[in-house]
Amino acid sequence: MALRILSDIITTHNSLLAPVASANDPNTVTPPPFQKPLLKAFAKALKTSNLPHAQSAAVIALSKMLLTNALSPSNPSIPPSIKEFNDNSVATLLQALVLAFFNPRTRDNLTLRQALTYFFPVYCHSHIANAQHMRRIAVPAIRTVLAAVDDFYALEAEEDSDGEIDGSVGEKETKVLMSGVVGMLTEWTDDRRIIGLGGGGDPLAPASLSNNSTLRPSESLHLALAKDILQRVLGVGGFATAPREERKYLLSMLSKLHLPTPAPMPSSRASSRVPEGAPDERESLRSSIRTDNMTSQLQEDDDELPLQVKDLLDQAISAGVASDASSRNALVKAKNSILKLLAGIIKPSDMDSSTMSARPGRRERVRVKDEPIEEEDENEVTVMSQASRASSVATSNISRIEEEDEGEETETEKRRSSARRSESVASTAEGDNTE
């Protein structure tokens, strides 16, 4: 009840969480003194050790605050340090909600599950900033949820010591649950579903999805998520190296991402055309130069993130981080999509010295001609192993038949030798009788 009252007060009076002037320096601002205790109270209430009704109350209250943007007020006067603090707080609480939603210990808490089932798609698809928060915590959420699931089924197997629970049952349940986690996180971070960016007004309708959103490649959420996944898989960019099981689910998420296609760039010819009756042609020339510079800058911004993802994909493929055919195919599919995106962004005319002068490392990274890679047939290994087993069985059968034939030939020779000896003895006896 206390959390509900606090959330209602803060939702109604957003200024309560606005930064306040520092007591030591009036020119600087700090978060309000009660903000950290408030966030800790919500984080503690979301733990699975609490009572189910307390968890449900915390989820409903926190959902209201996140939907109304009460925890991260958007005020131009807020300094970047306070904004970063608010964003980190939102990310922490959002990750706690994701864990509470997927944790097997809350499967009987229907109120909690129902509230979050409604909250997550509405929150993520209503604003691009909300989807960015979900994108930031997507990769860490895979790790925390997987750890919670493993602990739950391991403890459940230990408690039942009479042998009724098979160890493979927990593995199957984990696989099914994590497949759902991967699919939902991919859907919640899909910018095509965001209202106003391609979702068509109904973020829950798959038919409303379009191939392209209004975001440029440098702003694509799934492209940024692909970078986070690859950094976690490789253990670079501030991420620790993912274990083998987590790496499998991360690469499965990579295969489900919708990587952007090249967006049409503004044409410079139309803007450089001088209208009839123009009083000054020099102004049109200057406008054309400015448009060309703006187009070049947009292309450089658009290809920076795809080039980073391409470099990470090259490292992942060469390092052999994928342990099975499906994971390797995920890397190959992403690599081919990135090559297609770069081919549409970077034109051959963009390779002159004037375009590359500002970014000397870009020339070498772009001039590498990568050919599309063919994906592996995931059934090929199974078919080959079955064919090998069939060949070995046929070889053994042939050897057994040959051995049987050799045995039959040996018996025949013995019978023939015995018959010849009998005939020889009979001939000798007839000769003796004749004499």
Side-chain angles (χ1 to χ4, degrees):
M1 181 62 70
L3 291 177
R4 292 182 182 179
I5 295 174
L6 287 175
S7 66
D8 291 340
I9 294 174
I10 294 174
T11 303
T12 306
H13 305 281
N14 293 334
S15 59
L16 293 176
L17 291 181
V20 296
S22 175
N24 299 327
D25 187 1
N27 296 325
T28 61
V29 293
T30 59
F34 61 88
Q35 184 170 359
K36 287 186 178 180
L38 176 67
L39 299 177
K40 288 182 179 180
F42 276 105
K44 184 178 179 180
L46 291 173
K47 292 184 178 180
T48 56
S49 58
N50 273 334
L51 296 175
H53 69 274
Q55 286 182 285
S56 303
V59 164
I60 295 174
L62 187 56
S63 299
K64 292 180 180 179
M65 296 175 66
L66 290 174
L67 286 174
T68 56
N69 204 27
L71 294 177
S72 55
S74 56
N75 192 335
S77 61
I78 298 177
S81 59
I82 302 297
K83 188 177 184 304
E84 182 180 0
F85 173 79
N86 292 335
D87 290 342
N88 293 335
S89 301
V90 170
T92 301
L93 294 174
L94 191 61
Q95 185 173 345
L97 289 177
V98 172
L99 178 59
F101 182 59
F102 292 111
N103 197 324
R105 299 181 186 278
T106 64
R107 58 189 176 186
D108 295 330
N109 193 343
L110 301 182
T111 304
L112 181 146
R113 292 289 181 99
Q114 185 178 6
L116 291 178
T117 300
Y118 170 80
F119 164 74
F120 282 126
V122 173
Y123 175 77
C124 295
H125 300 152
S126 59
H127 200 275
I128 183 65
N130 299 341
Q132 281 283 12
H133 287 308
M134 181 60 71
R135 193 272 304 171
R136 287 181 57 192
I137 61 101
V139 172
I142 293 289
R143 174 180 55 83
T144 55
V145 173
L146 181 59
V149 172
D150 289 339
D151 292 342
F152 175 79
Y153 287 111
L155 182 61
E156 191 176 64
E158 289 177 1
E159 289 178 350
D160 195 353
S161 58
D162 55 1
E164 292 183 1
I165 295 181
D166 188 3
S168 61
V169 175
E171 296 179 1
K172 293 178 182 178
E173 294 290 338
T174 301
K175 184 176 181 180
V176 172
L177 193 149
M178 292 305 300
S179 298
V181 173
V182 168
M184 290 187 183
L185 288 176
T186 304
E187 178 182 327
W188 295 337
T189 55
D190 192 348
D191 50 45
R192 298 174 299 167
R193 294 179 178 271
I194 299 175
I195 297 176
L197 295 181
D202 186 3
L204 302 180
S208 65
L209 295 181
S210 59
N211 292 329
N212 296 316
S213 67
T214 57
L215 297 178
R216 302 205 316 269
S218 60
E219 301 169 336
S220 171
L221 296 181
H222 274 184
L223 194 59
L225 181 55
K227 178 183 176 182
D228 295 341
I229 291 173
L230 293 170
Q231 287 180 337
R232 171 64 175 165
V233 168
L234 294 170
V236 297
F239 289 91
T241 306
R244 180 177 179 180
E245 187 178 5
E246 179 187 347
R247 188 163 62 239
K248 180 177 64 175
Y249 293 116
L250 288 174
L251 294 178
S252 174
M253 179 185 286
L254 180 66
S255 67
K256 299 178 183 297
L257 299 182
H258 176 267
L259 300 181
T261 54
M265 301 301 297
S267 175
S268 60
R269 291 187 176 181
S271 61
S272 61
R273 187 178 304 162
V274 180
E276 295 182 1
D280 190 359
E281 295 183 357
R282 290 176 296 180
E283 182 62 29
S284 299
L285 179 60
R286 286 194 294 267
S287 176
S288 174
I289 294 174
R290 286 195 300 268
T291 304
D292 291 339
N293 292 337
M294 181 181 65
T295 302
S296 176
Q297 182 63 36
L298 286 176
Q299 289 178 345
E300 291 188 7
D301 293 341
D302 282 346
D303 66 43
E304 181 59 31
L305 182 57
L307 283 174
Q308 293 176 359
V309 175
K310 175 186 173 298
D311 293 342
L312 292 171
L313 284 168
D314 291 337
Q315 297 177 32
I317 294 174
S318 61
V321 297
S323 58
D324 54 2
S326 59
S327 299
R328 289 190 291 270
N329 285 340
L331 293 174
V332 171
K333 178 183 176 183
K335 175 72 176 293
N336 292 337
S337 300
I338 291 297
L339 292 178
K340 186 184 298 184
L341 175 61
L342 289 173
I345 295 176
I346 304 173
K347 306 297 182 183
S349 59
D350 300 330
M351 300 299 299
D352 57 1
S353 59
S354 61
T355 306
M356 296 294 179
S357 59
R359 296 165 63 186
R362 183 170 177 258
R363 182 192 299 269
E364 289 75 11
R365 296 165 68 188
V366 174
R367 288 201 174 191
V368 177
K369 295 183 178 180
D370 294 285
E371 297 295 335
I373 309 173
E374 294 185 0
E375 299 182 14
E376 296 182 20
D377 186 1
E378 298 180 12
N379 299 323
E380 182 178 358
V381 178
T382 305
V383 173
M384 291 179 63
S385 61
Q386 292 176 352
S388 177
R389 289 195 298 269
S391 176
S392 61
V393 171
T395 303
S396 62
N397 291 336
I398 292 174
S399 301
R400 181 168 50 81
I401 294 172
E402 290 178 352
E403 291 176 358
E404 292 177 357
D405 292 341
E406 291 176 359
E408 293 178 359
E409 291 177 359
T410 304
E411 293 295 332
T412 303
E413 291 295 332
K414 288 180 179 180
R415 288 195 295 269
R416 289 178 180 177
S417 298
S418 176
R420 285 195 294 270
R421 286 196 298 270
S422 299
E423 291 176 358
S424 175
V425 171
S427 300
T428 305
E430 288 178 1
D432 294 340
N433 294 333
T434 303
E435 289 177 358

